[in-house]
Structure formats: structure tokens, C-alpha cells
Amino acid sequence: MTEDSMSHHDPHDLLAAWAIDAVDPDERAAVERAIAEDPALAEEAAGFLATAAVLGAARAVTPPTQVRDRVLAAIRTDATTTQAAATHLPAASPGTRSPRGRDGATRPGSTRPGTARSDATGPGSRRGLSRRLRTVLVAAVLAVAIALPSVSAWQQHQRAVQAEARADRITALLASPDAQLLSGDLSSGGTATAVVTADAALVTAEGVSDPGDGKVYQLWVMRDGVPVPDATTGVSGDAFQIDTTAYRAGDGLALTVEPTGGSQAPTTDPLLVLAPTV
Amino acid sequence: MPVPGPHTLADDTLDRVAAGDQDAFTALYDALAPAVHGTALAVLRDPDHAAEVTQEVMVEIWRTADRYDRRLGSPRTWATTMAHRRAIDRVRSVQSQRTRDQAALDRDRPIDYDHVSEQVEGRLEAERLRHCMDGLTDTQRESVTLAYYGGLSYREVAEDLGAALPTIKSRIRDGLIRLRDCLGVTR
């Protein structure tokens, strides 16, 4: 029996064996790499997988009731954990309408997932964000949004309302199957986190310095290496949030400091550039 | 899928599950768990092992629904593929010897496609599959069966049958192509 190594043959030959899990781990990895790079191969793989699925599904038998009970209990625990994380927010000042108690990530019906666009990158699925990560992020954003220096009850109230709206937006963005999370440090201090989807981006920064009088932070959508001007923002406390619908899958994002009103082209070096993995 | 069952899933069920909708997941569980459990049971033959795999797979579906890629197939295909893969992993890690013994038994005992199924769609599908399996050559059917239900890799199948590797790869490939065309599976 001669051993033939994967490097000597075509993943195409192994596609059917791969679909019924009859290959070794190295071969499996090689086939999956090939599928990720070749749409025609992916199409064929899908046909084999659907065929293999019939071999299993034709033997369908309802599992014991205990299995259903245990599974549903496990997902409830998941959701409860999520809810606990979402409600674990710092106490807001008295008189503030706090968003506490909102279930940031798993309120049924609270989000309308965006439609995943097929991108040109072939069938390799872009990893969505885990539900836990979403929850943590939403909770963090809410915490930042409501942990603001006390200005006036009215402003506080306004901010809490805005924070809720922002949290809703984040949740909606994160529900999109193609959502990606990017994050990096600003060279001037602080951290920015961006949630990007096929057609929107939301950048939340924390621990940033005030850009100074007459200056704002400005967000740029980097398309084919060219910065497209987008929204500007001042800083509330040490945090800001900018969102844009000018973003498209594959674009990068950059932040600069610009004169109030924003610029048409960057006048300073970027403090941060975020590039999604495509 | 060839035979839509009573549990036809709404197109957006998985999207709703990805967004954390527990009711949607319950519907998804009821629709997919029989195929998942049946797959695990067909490979593992041990009800306790199969129940564990079913539980793992269904919880995994809840946790990774946001990564499901519809371009790679229907939710049922996704779930069943996951179940088969986990069952095979278990066979290879825990029970490889037993499986080899089992595979030897399987060769002498045709797969029972009349496996008691509580689901009408399962019976219809089993009927279709039996019909399509009959359209394979004996050697194709043997290789596909040893691999899918017996948990053998194509190398082990080759060893078991004393055949060359390329021969077995072709038998599996040609067998699956015939099945695919006979079942009318497109994705």
C-alpha cells in the first residue's frame, strides 16, 4: 500500500470523501482551503454535503425528551448570562433614566438582522461575532454612554436616551451575519472599536483626549486607499461615537483630528487606521 | 430539500436564532433534531452517545447560528453535517476498535433503511434513499456505506477491502454523484 500525500493530488478527488468525513485531518484542512478559494469547487461541495445529509436525515428519529429539555435549558442559561451581562452596568446618577434592565443582545424581535450580502471573496464565511462578545460590547458602550460627568438632569436624560438609541443601533448592526469587530489604539491615547457590516460602520472610542478648542475628531472611510470624508464629532467626557452609512464592505476606517466642521481631506496624520479582514 | 416535511422552516428562522430568539430556536430544534439524532445514531449506534452528540450539536447551532453560511447549504444540511462530523470524531477517538468490528459486521449485514422513524418525512426520505441506493453498483454502495455509516476513512475502507486508494476515492465520488443526481439534490 503506497501512501500518497495530499500535495500530490487534487482536492477535487477527495471532495466526496471529505463530504462524508472519510478523510484525515490534514486532507480535511486541504480540501477546505481549496473550497474557500474556488467557487466552482464550493458549489460541488455543497451538492455533496446536501447528498450526505440525506444519508443521515433519512434515518431521522426523534431524540429523547430529556435531550430537548437539556438543550432548551442550556440556551436559556446562555440567554440569562447575556441578560446579566447587559444589565451589569454602573449605576447612573439619580434622576437619570438609566437603560439598565434592557436586554442588550437577545431581546427576541428587538433586532432585524441585516441581509448578508454575498461578497466577492468566495464561500469562505466571514466569522460573525459571538453573542457573548456582542453583549459585552453593548454593555460597555452603554456603560460609557451613561457614565458621564453630571451636567444637568436634562442633558443626562438626553444622553441616556441617545445612549439607548446608540445601543439599539449597535445591537442591530451586530445582528448582521457579516458584522465584524475591529479595534485599535489611537496614537493620541484611548481605544476605538468599530463594528462594520456590508453597508454601515459604527465607531466607539473610549479614554480619548479632548481634541482641543476648535477641533473635532473626524472619521474617514478609506476606499481603495483614498480617504472619503465622513462625520465629525466632539468628545463627551472621554468618549465619542461616530456612525456612517457611507461604509461598504472592504473599506477601511481612519480617525484624524480636524478643525471644527471637518475637512474634505485629512489635514493631520491619522491617529488610527482600521482595516477589516475580507 | 427533496421532501419538505411538516416542519418546514421559515426562511428567516436561522436569522432570528442568530439574533437570540429562543422561540425561533425551539422551532428550529423541533425541525432539525430528528435528522441530527438519526445521523448520530446511525453512526454511533449507541443511544446515549447519540443523545450526547445531538445535545452538543443543537447547542452549537444556537451559539453559532450567526456563522451559518447559507451558500453552503440548507440549515438541515448544516446541522446534519455537524452531527455526522461529531459522531465520526467520537467513533475515531473513543471507539475505533469497536467501529472496525462493527464495520466488519456491516459488510455482512445490509443497512436497515427501514429504521423505525417517527417522522413521515423520514419514512419518505428513507424510501427515496433506498431507491437511489439501489441504483449504485455494489462496490460503490459498500464504500459509501462503510465510510458514512461505519465511520471508516477512505484509507481504512481501502485497507478493509484490499483495494487501491484511487479506486476507493472514485467509488465514493461516483457513488455520491449517482445518489446526488437520483435524489435530485441541488445544494
Side-chain angles (χ1 to χ4, degrees):
Chain A
M1 191 62 59
T2 52
E3 284 297 300
D4 55 343
S5 88
M6 189 62 209
S7 57
H8 295 304
H9 57 211
D10 181 0
H12 181 264
D13 288 348
L14 277 179
L15 203 54
W18 165 84
I20 58 174
D21 297 309
V23 293
D24 65 34
D26 290 350
E27 291 167 331
R28 181 189 284 188
V31 169
E32 287 173 6
R33 271 197 305 277
I35 288 172
E37 288 161 9
D38 180 351
L41 205 63
E43 186 63 30
E44 195 177 15
F48 284 144
L49 285 178
T51 305
V54 177
L55 292 172
R59 312 284 293 271
V61 57
T62 306
T65 325
Q66 305 91 292
V67 174
R68 187 178 193 268
D69 295 345
R70 284 200 295 263
V71 168
L72 296 183
I75 71 142
R76 274 196 301 275
T77 308
D78 257 15
T80 311
T81 311
T82 302
Q83 190 143 12
T87 54
H88 186 69
L89 295 170
S93 315
T96 304
R97 186 169 147 258
S98 154
R100 195 196 303 232
R102 292 172 51 83
D103 177 352
T106 62
R107 218 165 16 133
S110 68
T111 54
R112 298 303 318 150
T115 315
R117 297 191 182 190
S118 282
D119 44 40
T121 58
S125 115
R126 300 207 287 181
R127 290 169 65 89
L129 291 160
S130 80
R131 190 168 287 104
R132 260 198 202 87
L133 185 55
R134 292 175 180 182
T135 309
V136 168
L137 189 71
V138 170
V141 168
L142 280 172
V144 167
I146 63 176
L148 298 173
S150 178
V151 186
S152 75
W154 169 247
Q155 279 179 316
Q156 281 266 350
H157 170 72
Q158 285 301 96
R159 282 176 183 169
V161 169
Q162 288 161 1
E164 284 201 52
R166 283 203 297 260
D168 274 349
R169 189 172 157 71
I170 287 178
T171 308
L173 268 189
L174 287 173
S176 176
D178 54 11
Q180 281 195 62
L181 192 60
L182 313 169
S183 130
D185 294 334
L186 278 69
S187 55
S188 55
T191 303
T193 302
V195 184
V196 303
T197 67
D199 53 11
L202 182 64
V203 178
T204 306
E206 292 168 60
V208 298
S209 52
D210 192 308
D213 279 351
K215 297 215 170 67
V216 290
Y217 285 104
Q218 183 167 355
L219 178 68
W220 305 85
V221 171
M222 305 294 291
R223 187 162 302 159
D224 303 325
V226 179
V228 179
D230 211 282
T232 63
T233 183
V235 173
S236 307
D238 63 352
F240 68 79
Q241 185 172 52
I242 316 178
D243 61 8
T244 172
T245 51
Y247 185 87
R248 294 294 174 266
D251 290 347
L253 291 165
L255 282 167
T256 63
V257 170
E258 301 296 341
T260 302
S263 309
Q264 282 307 298
T267 61
T268 59
D269 288 336
L271 303 168
L272 170 71
V273 177
L274 295 170
T277 53
V278 176
Chain B
M1 285 324 282
V3 185
H7 294 298
T8 306
L9 281 172
D11 280 350
D12 68 341
T13 303
L14 218 62
D15 286 338
R16 285 165 49 213
V17 171
D21 182 336
Q22 293 181 50
D23 293 340
F25 178 79
T26 304
L28 189 74
Y29 178 95
D30 290 334
L32 300 183
V36 166
H37 192 59
T39 301
L41 203 55
V43 174
L44 295 163
R45 303 216 164 69
D46 176 305
D48 294 339
H49 274 289
E52 281 175 26
V53 166
T54 302
Q55 188 177 332
E56 283 170 16
V57 168
M58 295 315 296
V59 171
E60 187 72 8
I61 286 173
W62 163 255
R63 291 186 179 156
T64 60
D66 52 4
R67 280 187 245 155
Y68 160 71
D69 184 348
R70 73 189 63 236
R71 283 167 297 179
L72 286 177
S74 69
R76 195 185 70 156
T77 293
W78 181 53
T80 310
T81 302
M82 215 186 295
H84 189 260
R85 205 169 259 203
R86 278 183 185 242
I88 294 286
D89 286 347
R90 226 170 239 247
V91 160
R92 292 193 186 149
S93 63
V94 183
Q95 315 169 290
S96 48
Q97 190 50 54
R98 226 185 75 186
T99 307
R100 272 178 238 293
D101 299 346
Q102 188 64 58
L105 286 175
D106 285 344
R107 261 205 316 290
D108 307 326
R109 192 193 60 196
I111 284 285
D112 170 21
Y113 296 112
D114 290 328
H115 185 88
V116 180
S117 167
E118 297 171 42
Q119 304 233 317
V120 173
E121 81 225 62
R123 280 206 301 277
L124 286 171
E125 203 156 29
E127 199 53 50
R128 275 177 78 91
L129 179 62
R130 190 218 318 260
H131 163 74
C132 292
M133 275 283 196
D134 285 347
L136 269 55
T137 66
D138 290 348
T139 54
Q140 287 169 351
R141 190 164 47 244
E142 180 182 49
S143 295
V144 169
T145 300
L146 282 174
Y148 189 88
Y149 296 109
L152 299 192
S153 71
Y154 77 93
R155 288 171 195 279
E156 289 170 325
V157 172
E159 206 174 312
D160 220 58
L161 302 178
L165 289 177
T167 307
I168 298 303
K169 275 190 286 197
S170 310
R171 282 180 194 173
I172 291 176
R173 185 178 171 80
D174 298 346
L176 271 200
I177 288 170
R178 270 192 202 194
L179 277 180
R180 180 190 69 197
D181 297 345
C182 172
L183 289 164
V185 170
T186 49
R187 316 229 3 121

